[in-house]
Amino acid sequence: MGSPQMPSRRFLPFTVEKVSDEEEERLKAAGFLGYGDLVRTDPSSVRLRPGYARLAETYYNFEFRPDDTVLLSFPKSGTTWMSEALWAMRNLGRLEEADEVAIDDRLFFLDSDFLLPITAGDDTPAMKKFARACPEGRVEDGVTLQMTAAHKGPRILKTHLQLELLNPDLLNTSKVVYIARNPKDVCVSYFHHCRKNTRLNFKGDFSDFAEAFMANQLLFEPFWDHVVQAWMRRSHENLHFMFFEDMKRDAHGELRKLATFLELDLSDEDVHRVADHCSFGQMRAREERQSEGRGPLYNVPGFFHKGEIGGWKSVASPELIDRFDNWILDNNCGIDIPFRYE
Ligand code: A3P
C-alpha cells in the first residue's frame, strides 16, 4: 500500500505586482496617506497589502476542512457582526468569554498575515502564542495561516479575500457564509473606517474617497467582482448568501436560517440569545471595553459607527449620488443583485 496522497500544490492562476507609481501618487494626493506599496493581482486587479505577494500561493492552497465554517465578505459589510453571530451559535455555553477576548482572537482572521503582520523577534503575546502552537513555524510563512492549520478544529475562519483568490475546493469542502451590504453604505462605512484607523490614515473628503472607491483602488477592491463571485454561486449547497440589510430588518429570522444552513439544532430561545449577544449595543459596548489600553489603531473611540442603512444620504452631494447610481447601474446590469439602500 502506498502512503496517503498529499494534495498537490496548485500553481497560482494570477500574478501579483506592485500598483503603479502614478496610481500611488494619485491616491496620496487624494488623502490616502496609509496606502503606500499596495499590490494588485493580474488579472482581476485586486488591491492588497504588500505582504500578500509572498503568501498568495499559500492562501490559494490553504486547506479547508469539512467541519470549518468560513465567513467571506467585502470589508465593511457586517463581517464583525456575522463573526460574533457565528461564534455565539457555536459557543452558546460560554458566551461570557466574549467579554474577555476580542472577536478576532476567538476565530481565525486569515488576512491578519498581510494586514497586521507580526515581525520575527517581536516579544508580544501573539508571538508567544505562535511559538507554542507552531514550534517549528516560520513567521514569514504566515503566523495566522500556520496557527489555523495547526488547530484541530472545528474552526471558524474569516477572510476578505475574494473567492477566486482562495482554494478552488473551498465550496466543495466547507460551509461558507457570505455577507453582502449595499455598496453606498459600504463606501460610507469604509470612509469612516479609513479616517479613524491610524494605519489607513485617510485625510481627504468623502467625494475623494468615493471616486477612489468607484475606481476600484481601495484595499480588497474591486467591490463588484468580490460580491458577484459569491452571488453567482449562491445556489451551491455549501454557500449561504446573506445581506446586511436583512439582518437589520429581521436578525432573528436571518439567524434562524443561518442555523439551519449550519445544521445547528437551536431553540427559539437560543436564537434570541445569539441575536441579543450580537446586537449593535452589546457589540459596541464590548469593543469599547476591550479597546481600552490597546494600541492606538483607531484615533477616535470605536470601530462601530452607526450600523445603519442609508447613511450615504447625509454625506454625498446630489451629483455624487447621481454618479454612484450610474456606477451601480453599469456594474449590476444583468446581474441584478437585489441590494436595498433604505
Ligand atoms: P457602520 O460603519 O455603517 O457603522 P465590518 O465588520 O465588515 O467591517 O462592517 C462594519 C460595519 O458593520 C459598521 O457599519 C458597523 O457599525 C456595522 N455593524 C457591526 N456590528 C453590527 C451590529 N450588531 N448591528 C448593526 N451593524 C453592525
Side-chain angles (χ1 to χ4, degrees), residues 73-81 160 181 185 188-190 192-193 244 248 278-281 283 303-308:
S73 66
F74 186 82
K76 312 320 292 173
S77 303
T79 329
T80 318
W81 193 1
H160 295 309
R181 186 182 189 184
D185 283 333
V188 175
S189 180
Y190 212 168
H192 290 299
H193 179 80
F244 179 98
K248 282 292 288 185
C278 66
S279 69
F280 187 79
M283 284 182 60
F303 167 85
F304 296 89
H305 186 59
K306 290 189 179 154
E308 287 173 352

Side-chain angles (χ1 to χ4, degrees), residues 23-300:
E23 180 175 323
E24 214 163 281
E25 285 309 314
R26 268 201 311 277
L27 280 172
K28 284 241 162 71
F32 289 88
L33 304 187
Y35 259 55
D37 291 335
L38 286 198
V39 295
R40 55 184 281 272
T41 63
D42 181 29
S44 297
S45 271
V46 182
R47 288 341 195 238
L48 295 159
R49 287 264 181 218
Y52 171 76
R54 191 169 27 81
L55 294 170
E57 208 177 309
T58 311
Y59 279 105
Y60 194 67
N61 282 281
F62 184 84
E63 277 182 53
F64 295 95
R65 306 178 192 148
D67 62 348
D68 284 341
T69 309
V70 184
L71 174 62
L72 303 182
S73 66
F74 186 82
K76 312 320 292 173
S77 303
T79 329
T80 318
W81 193 1
M82 294 320 302
S83 306
E84 196 65 67
L86 288 172
W87 181 85
M89 279 186 180
R90 295 209 173 274
N91 293 279
L92 270 167
R94 46 194 187 119
L95 291 185
E96 66 289 346
E97 226 175 83
D99 291 334
E100 306 299 322
V101 186
I103 181 64
D104 280 352
D105 293 326
R106 284 177 275 130
L107 45 71
F108 295 100
F109 182 25
L110 297 182
D111 312 352
S112 309
D113 285 331
F114 60 90
L115 288 181
L116 292 164
I118 291 178
T119 316
D122 276 359
D123 185 21
T124 57
M127 192 63 196
K128 289 186 183 126
K129 208 166 144 190
F130 173 59
R132 271 197 310 274
C134 307
E136 309 287 317
R138 298 182 336 145
V139 169
E140 55 275 31
D141 295 333
V143 165
T144 304
L145 283 165
Q146 290 171 89
M147 285 180 63
T148 313
H151 194 272
K152 69 176 181 356
R155 311 176 295 186
I156 303 175
L157 303 87
K158 84 170 190 193
T159 175
H160 295 309
L161 290 174
Q162 57 180 54
L163 266 172
E164 286 180 4
L165 303 185
L166 297 169
N167 192 319
D169 286 337
L170 166 58
L171 276 179
N172 293 326
T173 309
S174 315
K175 290 211 181 286
V176 178
V177 177
Y178 190 94
I179 176 89
R181 186 182 189 184
N182 85 66
K184 289 180 179 173
D185 283 333
V186 165
C187 182
V188 175
S189 180
Y190 212 168
F191 166 66
H192 290 299
H193 179 80
C194 289
R195 282 216 303 197
K196 285 195 281 189
N197 182 295
T198 50
R199 281 197 77 218
L200 293 163
N201 198 17
F202 178 66
K203 298 290 187 203
D205 60 23
F206 181 67
S207 65
D208 291 329
F209 191 89
E211 292 302 336
F213 184 77
M214 287 187 278
N216 295 320
Q217 290 174 332
L218 306 190
L219 264 178
F220 297 103
E221 285 211 280
F223 170 85
W224 288 100
D225 283 359
H226 201 296
V227 189
V228 169
Q229 284 170 24
W231 180 249
M232 299 306 261
R233 295 166 170 95
R234 69 191 178 285
S235 49
H236 193 293
E237 59 176 0
N238 270 349
L239 179 67
H240 186 66
F241 194 103
M242 302 179 70
F243 287 102
F244 179 98
E245 293 77 12
D246 291 340
M247 273 293 288
K248 282 292 288 185
R249 198 194 47 200
D250 177 17
H252 188 273
E254 289 302 307
L255 292 173
R256 161 64 60 215
K257 287 189 230 163
L258 179 59
T260 305
F261 167 72
L262 295 173
E263 298 173 62
L264 294 174
D265 185 18
L266 301 190
S267 66
D268 246 20
E269 195 202 327
D270 292 338
V271 176
H272 272 299
R273 282 183 66 213
V274 173
D276 186 50
H277 175 85
C278 66
S279 69
F280 187 79
Q282 288 232 21
M283 284 182 60
R284 184 163 64 181
R286 228 176 270 132
E287 203 267 343
E288 280 174 9
R289 275 198 308 275
Q290 290 173 357
S291 60
E292 278 168 24
R294 232 197 279 144
L297 191 55
Y298 295 97
N299 54 21
V300 290

